[in-house]
Amino acid sequence: MATLRVHPIASIAPQAGGRTHLGLLAAARAGLGVAALTRPVTALRATGLDRVTAERTAWAARLLGGRDLALGAGLLHALARRHPTSGWVWAGLLADAVDATALATAAARRQISPAAGGLAAALATAAVAWAAPAVRHDTSSPASTPDDPSGP
């Protein structure tokens, strides 16, 4: 019979602020940015907007896509160069917190599909939760982390 091992949260937390964790966060953000820049209507339609409204407001999706691409690329660059990352992490965390609030509000007011808006708000909230351990573990120094034992 197979045995399932469950690690306590305390043993996972130090790894959550590591370079691999931040690299995944940065790559996901940059990927979403590229998607919003290249397919703004599709990105907006995913929130439940009709085609005409999505086409009229595609410029807003491009703005947000550019922001996310810049934040993701900046964090990836800092990681690759072993530069401080805390500023990039904080900027992304704040942007995601504002996104979560704006999306939840729009969904509650039925300005966008409540289901799609709720899901998008949940994803933005998850991004905040994903970034929070990195902020707690002060990623500003390029010292080695549990998933990078080789050090700088």
Side-chain angles (χ1 to χ4, degrees):
M1 174 178 260
T3 304
L4 177 65
R5 285 183 87 180
V6 178
H7 296 282
I9 295 294
S11 69
I12 297 170
Q15 297 171 2
R19 302 184 76 70
T20 301
H21 175 88
L22 291 178
L24 290 171
L25 178 67
R29 180 180 299 285
L32 287 172
V34 168
L37 279 168
T38 60
R39 299 277 195 191
V41 173
T42 302
L44 290 169
R45 294 289 312 269
T47 66
L49 287 178
D50 62 272
R51 183 185 53 78
V52 173
T53 304
E55 287 173 356
R56 286 182 156 170
T57 57
W59 61 270
R62 286 188 187 102
L63 285 173
L64 295 173
R67 176 200 71 184
D68 281 334
L69 177 57
L71 289 170
L75 181 53
L76 283 171
H77 183 268
L79 287 166
R81 302 274 189 198
R82 296 195 176 273
H83 291 167
T85 57
S86 62
W88 291 107
V89 174
W90 270 110
L93 190 145
L94 292 172
D96 290 334
V98 170
D99 289 352
T101 303
L103 288 161
T105 301
R109 292 179 179 168
R110 300 208 183 277
Q111 294 168 321
I112 60 176
S113 161
L119 176 61
L123 290 173
T125 302
V128 170
W130 185 267
V135 172
R136 283 197 312 263
H137 288 79
D138 188 21
T139 58
S140 61
S141 78
S144 63
T145 63
D147 35 345
D148 184 16
S150 62

